[in-house]
């Protein structure tokens, strides 16, 4: 599908609509740069923890994120 980007984040595959990336307006976004460099035909692998990527997707979709709730399980040092 030409409207969907396949991202492999730390071994977990996410399918993301290109429309949420706003490729024309988010020119400084890392994902925008990756898509422009690599294209959308191939799966893009990012070697990071996949647990936090849904939060990034929520932000890209325009949802408000309650960071304190999302990270309540993180212990302070």
């Amino acid at each position: 599908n030409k409207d969907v980007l396949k991202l492999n984040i730390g071994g977990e595959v996410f399918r993301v609509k290109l429309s949420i990336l706003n490729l024309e307006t988010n020119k400084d976004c890392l994902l925008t740069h990756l898509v422009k460099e690599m294209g959308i035909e191939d799966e893009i692998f990012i070697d990071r923890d996949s647990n936090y990527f849904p939060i990034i997707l929520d932000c890209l979709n325009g949802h408000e994120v309650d960071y304190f709730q999302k990270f309540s399980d993180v212990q302070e040092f």
Side-chain angles (χ1 to χ4, degrees):
N1 190 344
K2 294 182 181 184
D3 297 328
V4 176
L5 174 63
K6 190 174 177 183
L7 296 170
N8 182 330
I9 312 295
E12 186 173 346
V13 176
F14 294 86
R15 287 178 172 72
V16 179
K17 290 182 183 178
L18 283 175
S19 60
I20 70 163
L21 295 179
N22 295 323
L23 296 176
E24 297 303 317
T25 56
N26 289 333
K27 296 180 188 214
D28 293 330
C29 177
L30 174 63
L31 289 176
T32 299
H33 287 288
L34 288 173
V35 169
K36 288 185 177 184
E37 287 284 322
M38 300 179 74
I40 62 168
E41 294 80 28
D42 297 321
E43 178 179 285
I44 296 175
F45 176 74
I46 300 174
D47 190 15
R48 292 291 180 260
D49 189 342
S50 63
N51 290 327
Y52 302 108
F53 192 68
I55 297 168
I56 294 170
L57 289 178
D58 283 345
C59 291
L60 289 171
N61 276 311
H63 300 284
E64 286 189 35
V65 177
D66 183 351
Y67 297 102
F68 294 109
Q69 180 184 6
K70 292 276 186 187
F71 297 110
S72 63
D73 61 334
V74 177
Q75 295 179 355
E76 291 187 36
F77 294 94

